[in-house]
């Protein structure tokens, strides 16, 4: 074994005839290519089946107690009477009844029949008629008494004030002075049969619904902020793109100077952030309520409240100080390697200058990833809504057909209604008993797995394309004469024509690890309330191991794709050659390559910091000269955060090309 490893780790012999990426290639990993094509065809088939079976209205519209869509044409109005005791916590009321409070029912009045009074609420007969079911079966001569009506569930025991939310009505909860919880103006409700419901019980039952309501209010405010500031956000993203381009151009001619300027500016920007946080922290001293802790404050929908307490600015200051110290220490210990990394960045700048079309390639990767994500999301929605309405037999007395599946259209004429007179065929849940529904969970797993496989394939295609173009530059004896006219298109064509199978093979291995990590995260979420310490420890160890494995496979795949782009071999030999090449140059890889990545990360950080600081001063109205131009916003951090994230993605898109160029040139240099 030792002899074979030594043979594998020998350096490649010098070949004077080698002039870069080979053009005389053959198709690699054909079986994996065929498997990938078949998997894609199966993915399309799953999508078609899901789109034919699914119904996204189940996500958008609420359903009543019979499983019918509320507020849709051809759907009769129904009402979920048992909302106070079920887990649904949604009160589906007619909109005009949202301000009505009835503690007792007066009557269930059929069309054209005289009513029988039940209580003193004689002015609300129209609402009672709307919310009672099966009123048409009653006649004036055979009306049931009020207790029987309530007992049989023909009419709701009470209606309460509500507020509309996504086509549903939720209790109109409020708080009086002293923290008294009310619904409307009432604290208790008579639910009939001597059973009272407190407003606090309603609050407890609808806590999750209220969280959704508050989240919706925040979302509406954020949407309003976007409508007010979208043009400024767009301008800021354009500025971030221009700054990134200027930075790339300056690196082309002034790489050494720009790297040192970038290092100094990053230190100054972080230092200014620390100083600003300290000034805000000091200015809040003595202000009422500023000493409240974040834990005592809890979750607030108005995020500007957090900026009024000192602990927030103290936390920001500590985080920035830690980042500043880490950056300075890394620069001190890596000062000798920085000079070598600058030389590598200079060469990468020349390569990017000769292959300028490489800066536009991230747009293609972004577009393909957007298509993959959109297809996965749409298919997931249709799969999750492809269940049918399942009806079960519900009854109060003993019945041999209890909880069995039934058909509401034929239930009244079936044997069940004769054997069990008090049985009803009611909507139970969404599901199904067909072959498709039995394997629905497998379709969902297949959708997730193919999403990872396709996304990793798109990323791998971009890495092979860029590395092939930059390898053409490196091995060109006379630059730019020996460089292909269209290096990006030539490299992309070679990758798709010859190496689709190799890219699918590498991305398949990575996808398997990522799917396992997703399942581990799911298990961790399920075991959060568990008391088994050993299970938690074991799960944490597995998550850590698979995280490390994921990082290692990504690193190895990236270098294997570079070898594929250069020599045109299949995935396994290329991964083996890349591994032993890196092992022979482990010190250079561990120091020089990572120092270059660190310097490029500082470049991203600088662009994000510049855009973030200017957007903060603009949207917070702290620049008096342009204070009137700043839009009036609910949360001024919304456009700031959008610009910070957007500018980072833009900078990452440009610098990822640089990073791939550096890795390719470094591997070619090691060869």
């Amino acid at each position: 074994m030792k002899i074979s490893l030594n043979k594998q780790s020998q350096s490649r012999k010098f070949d004077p005839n080698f002039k870069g990426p080979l053009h005389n290639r053959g198709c690699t990993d054909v079986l994996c290519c065929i498997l990938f094509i078949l998997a894609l065809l199966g993915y399309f088939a799953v999508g078609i089946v899901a789109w034919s079976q699914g119904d996204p209205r189940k996500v958008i519209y609420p359903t009543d107690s019979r499983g019918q869509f509320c507020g849709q044409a051809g759907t009769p109005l129904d009402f979920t009477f048992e909302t106070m005791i079920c887990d649904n916590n949604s009160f589906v009321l007619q909109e005009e009844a949202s301000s009505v409070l009835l503690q007792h029912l007066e009557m269930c009045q059929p069309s054209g029949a005289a009513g029988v009074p039940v209580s003193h609420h004689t002015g609300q007969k129209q609402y009672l008629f709307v919310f009672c079911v099966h009123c048409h079966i009653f006649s004036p001569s055979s009306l049931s008494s009020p207790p029987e009506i309530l007992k049989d569930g023909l009419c709701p025991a009470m209606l309460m004030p509500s507020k509309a939310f996504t086509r549903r009505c939720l209790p109109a909860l409020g708080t009086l002075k002293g923290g008294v919880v009310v619904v409307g103006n009432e604290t208790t409700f008579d639910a009939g049969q001597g059973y009272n419901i407190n407003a606090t019980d309603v609050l407890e039952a609808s806590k999750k619904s209220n969280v959704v309501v508050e989240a919706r209010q925040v979302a509406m405010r954020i949407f309003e902020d976007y409508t007010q500031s979208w043009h400024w956000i767009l301008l800021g993203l354009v500025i971030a793109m221009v700054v990134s381009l200027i930075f790339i151009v300056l690196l082309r001619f002034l790489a050494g100077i720009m790297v040192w300027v970038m290092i100094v500016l990053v230190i100054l920007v972080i230092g200014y952030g620390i100083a600003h946080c300290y000034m805000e922290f000091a200015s809040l001293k003595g202000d009422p309520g500023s000493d409240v802790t974040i834990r005592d404050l809890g979750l607030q929908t108005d995020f500007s409240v957090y900026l009024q307490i000192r602990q927030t600015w103290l936390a920001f200051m500590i985080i920035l100080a830690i980042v500043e110290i880490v950056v300075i220490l890394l620069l001190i210990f890596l000062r000798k390697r920085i000079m070598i990394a600058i030389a590598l960045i200079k060469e990468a700048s020349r390569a990017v200058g000769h292959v300028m079309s490489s800066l536009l390639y991230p747009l293609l990767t972004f577009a393909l990833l957007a298509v993959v994500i959109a297809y996965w999301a749409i298919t997931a929605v249709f799969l999750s809504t492809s269940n049918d309405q399942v009806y079960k037999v519900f009854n109060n007395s003993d019945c041999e057909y209890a909880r069995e599946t039934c058909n509401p259209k034929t239930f009244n004429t079936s044997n069940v209604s004769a054997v069990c007179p008090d049985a009803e065929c009611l909507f139970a849940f969404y599901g199904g008993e067909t072959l498709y529904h039995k394997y629905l969970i497998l379709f969902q797993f297949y959708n997730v797995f193919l999403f990872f496989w396709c996304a990793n394939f798109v990323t791998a295609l971009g890495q092979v394309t860029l590395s092939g173009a930059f390898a053409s530059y490196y091995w060109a004896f006379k630059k730019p004469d020996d460089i292909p006219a269209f290096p990006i298109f030539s490299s992309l064509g070679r990758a798709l024509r010859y190496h689709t199978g190799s890219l699918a093979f590498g991305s398949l291995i990575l996808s398997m690890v990522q799917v396992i990590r997703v399942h581990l995260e799911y298990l961790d979420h399920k075991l959060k309330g568990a008391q088994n310490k050993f299970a938690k420890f074991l799960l944490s160890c597995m998550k850590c191991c698979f995280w490390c494995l994921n990082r290692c496979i990504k690193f190895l795949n990236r270098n294997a794709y570079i070898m594929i782009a250069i020599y045109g071999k299949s995935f396994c030999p290329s991964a083996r050659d890349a591994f032993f090449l890196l092992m022979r140059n482990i010190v250079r890889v561990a120091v020089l390559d990572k120092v270059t990545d660190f310097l490029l990360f500082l470049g991203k950080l600088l662009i994000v910091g510049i855009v973030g600081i200017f957007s903060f001063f603009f949207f917070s109205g702290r620049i008096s000269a342009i204070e009137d131009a700043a839009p009036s916003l609910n949360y001024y951090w919304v456009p700031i955060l959008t610009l910070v994230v957007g500018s980072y993605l833009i900078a990452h898109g440009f610098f990822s090309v640089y990073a791939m160029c550096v890795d390719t040139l470094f591997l070619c240099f090691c060869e």
Side-chain angles (χ1 to χ4, degrees), residues 488-511:
I488 289 292
F489 290 105
S490 301
S491 182
L492 178 62
R494 289 196 301 269
L496 291 175
R497 181 178 179 182
Y498 299 110
H499 306 303
T500 299
S502 298
L503 302 182
F505 190 12
S507 55
L508 174 63
I509 297 173
L510 183 59
S511 300

Side-chain angles (χ1 to χ4, degrees), residues 266-267 270 274 318-334 598 601-602 605:
V266 167
I267 295 174
I270 298 176
I274 296 172
I318 293 174
I319 293 172
L320 290 176
I322 293 174
V323 173
E324 182 88 322
I325 293 172
V326 171
V327 170
I328 292 175
L329 290 176
L330 287 174
L331 291 173
I332 292 174
F333 287 110
L334 301 176
F598 173 67
F601 173 74
L602 291 183
L605 203 62

Side-chain angles (χ1 to χ4, degrees), residues 107-115 129-130 134-140 143:
M107 60 178 299
C108 183
Q109 179 175 338
S111 177
F129 175 72
V130 167
H134 305 313
C135 292
H136 58 280
I137 68 173
F138 295 105
S139 65
L143 278 173

Side-chain angles (χ1 to χ4, degrees), residues 553-589:
I553 291 177
K554 278 187 175 181
F555 178 75
L556 188 60
N557 280 8
R558 184 181 179 93
N559 291 280
Y561 295 146
I562 296 175
M563 301 300 284
I564 290 173
I566 297 174
Y567 297 107
K569 295 182 179 180
S570 57
F571 178 79
C572 289
S574 299
R576 180 196 59 202
D577 293 343
F579 176 77
F580 286 113
L581 180 62
L582 296 174
M583 289 299 102
R584 291 196 301 268
N585 301 272
I586 187 63
V587 177
R588 293 191 182 103
V589 172

Side-chain angles (χ1 to χ4, degrees), residues 299-599:
L299 180 63
Q300 300 291 326
T301 56
D302 187 2
F303 294 99
S304 62
V305 174
Y306 294 104
L307 301 179
Q308 306 301 320
I309 59 177
R310 303 182 73 203
Q311 194 180 67
T312 302
W313 295 105
L314 179 62
F316 288 158
M317 183 172 60
I318 293 174
I319 293 172
L320 290 176
I322 293 174
V323 173
E324 182 88 322
I325 293 172
V326 171
V327 170
I328 292 175
L329 290 176
L330 287 174
L331 291 173
I332 292 174
F333 287 110
L334 301 176
R335 62 188 184 278
K336 293 182 179 180
R337 297 291 178 178
I338 288 177
M339 299 304 299
I340 306 176
I342 289 175
L344 190 56
I345 291 177
K346 285 182 179 179
E347 190 63 28
S349 300
R350 297 190 189 100
V352 173
H354 284 92
V355 191
M356 289 298 292
S357 57
S358 61
L359 296 175
L360 299 177
Y361 188 84
L363 297 177
L364 177 61
T365 300
F366 176 79
L368 292 176
L369 285 176
V371 171
V372 171
I373 294 173
Y375 185 86
W376 164 77
I378 294 173
T379 304
V381 170
F382 275 88
L383 282 175
S384 61
T385 59
S386 58
N387 289 314
D388 295 328
Q389 299 170 359
V390 176
Y391 294 86
K392 297 286 185 179
V393 177
F394 291 91
N395 60 289
N396 296 323
S397 60
D398 294 335
C399 179
E400 58 180 311
Y401 299 101
R403 300 302 183 267
E404 289 189 4
T405 305
C406 59
N407 188 344
K409 295 181 180 179
T410 60
F411 181 76
N412 291 331
T413 59
S414 65
N415 185 45
V416 180
S417 59
V419 176
C420 307
D422 63 335
E424 291 183 284
C425 184
L426 300 177
F427 170 75
F429 54 86
Y430 283 107
E433 299 176 354
T434 64
L435 187 65
Y436 168 76
H437 292 99
K438 288 181 180 179
Y439 293 99
L440 185 59
I441 185 66
L442 295 180
F443 292 149
Q444 292 171 339
F445 173 81
Y446 190 77
N447 183 36
V448 173
F449 181 76
L450 262 292
F451 163 71
F452 282 114
W453 196 358
C454 293
N456 290 324
F457 180 85
V458 170
T459 303
L461 179 62
Q463 291 174 346
V464 169
T465 301
L466 291 174
S467 59
F470 292 129
S472 300
Y473 161 82
Y474 183 88
W475 295 104
F477 185 75
K478 293 181 180 180
K479 300 177 178 63
D481 297 336
D482 292 343
I483 301 176
F486 302 100
I488 289 292
F489 290 105
S490 301
S491 182
L492 178 62
R494 289 196 301 269
L496 291 175
R497 181 178 179 182
Y498 299 110
H499 306 303
T500 299
S502 298
L503 302 182
F505 190 12
S507 55
L508 174 63
I509 297 173
L510 183 59
S511 300
M512 290 179 177
V513 176
Q514 290 174 338
V515 168
I516 293 175
R517 291 186 65 201
V518 169
H519 280 78
L520 290 176
E521 291 292 340
Y522 175 76
L523 289 176
D524 185 40
H525 176 73
K526 289 295 184 182
L527 291 175
K528 275 187 176 179
Q531 302 297 325
N532 194 328
K533 301 288 184 181
F534 178 75
K536 290 184 177 180
F537 172 76
L538 183 62
L539 188 60
S540 299
C541 291
M542 292 180 64
K543 286 172 60 179
C544 181
C545 291
F546 276 97
W547 179 85
C548 294
L549 181 61
N550 180 68
R551 298 291 296 178
C552 292
I553 291 177
K554 278 187 175 181
F555 178 75
L556 188 60
N557 280 8
R558 184 181 179 93
N559 291 280
Y561 295 146
I562 296 175
M563 301 300 284
I564 290 173
I566 297 174
Y567 297 107
K569 295 182 179 180
S570 57
F571 178 79
C572 289
S574 299
R576 180 196 59 202
D577 293 343
F579 176 77
F580 286 113
L581 180 62
L582 296 174
M583 289 299 102
R584 291 196 301 268
N585 301 272
I586 187 63
V587 177
R588 293 191 182 103
V589 172
V591 179
L592 182 59
D593 192 36
K594 294 308 164 187
V595 169
T596 308
D597 290 342
F598 173 67
L599 294 178

Side-chain angles (χ1 to χ4, degrees), residues 3-11 576-577 580-581 584:
I3 296 174
S4 64
L5 283 175
N6 288 333
K7 287 183 178 180
Q8 295 291 351
S9 61
Q10 290 177 356
S11 301
R576 180 196 59 202
D577 293 343
F580 286 113
L581 180 62
R584 291 196 301 268

Side-chain angles (χ1 to χ4, degrees), residues 93-289:
L93 307 181
Q94 188 75 348
E95 189 170 331
E96 64 264 21
S98 61
S99 61
V100 179
L101 175 63
L102 294 178
Q103 294 181 335
H104 298 281
L105 291 176
E106 181 181 2
M107 60 178 299
C108 183
Q109 179 175 338
S111 177
V116 176
V118 175
S119 70
H120 58 279
H121 294 287
T122 56
Q124 305 297 343
K125 297 180 181 180
Q126 52 187 355
Y127 296 112
L128 300 176
F129 175 72
V130 167
F131 293 113
C132 294
V133 296
H134 305 313
C135 292
H136 58 280
I137 68 173
F138 295 105
S139 65
S141 59
S142 61
L143 278 173
S144 302
S145 63
E148 292 174 345
I149 293 175
L150 297 179
K151 182 180 179 180
D152 295 339
L154 299 177
C155 293
M158 63 179 180
L159 299 177
M160 61 179 59
S162 59
K163 51 188 175 183
F165 172 68
T166 62
R167 303 177 184 268
R168 298 162 174 85
C169 288
L170 300 178
L173 291 162
T175 306
L176 301 178
K177 291 183 179 180
V180 178
V181 179
V182 295
V183 179
N185 294 321
E186 302 292 334
T187 56
T188 59
F189 299 90
D190 183 5
Q193 300 180 355
Y195 178 67
N196 292 327
I197 294 178
N198 295 323
T200 53
D201 297 333
V202 179
L203 174 64
E204 193 66 27
S206 58
K207 263 187 177 180
K208 293 183 180 180
S209 301
N210 288 332
V211 170
V212 176
V213 172
E214 292 179 357
R216 178 178 179 268
Q217 292 174 350
V218 173
M220 290 302 297
R221 295 193 192 106
I222 292 175
F223 180 75
E224 291 174 2
D225 289 343
Y226 277 124
T227 58
Q228 294 292 325
S229 61
W230 67 269
H231 50 289
W232 293 108
I233 293 175
L234 189 61
L235 178 61
L237 295 177
V238 172
I239 292 174
M241 185 175 65
V242 172
V243 171
S244 300
L245 281 173
I246 293 174
F247 201 89
I248 296 294
V249 172
L250 291 177
L251 277 178
R252 170 68 177 85
F253 301 101
L254 304 169
I257 297 175
M258 283 301 298
V259 169
W260 287 111
V261 169
M262 175 184 65
I263 292 172
V264 174
L265 286 178
V266 167
I267 295 174
L268 291 177
V269 167
I270 298 176
Y272 171 77
I274 296 172
H276 180 80
C277 291
Y278 175 76
M279 288 187 293
E280 292 287 348
F281 175 76
S283 64
L284 290 174
K285 186 177 181 180
D287 288 359

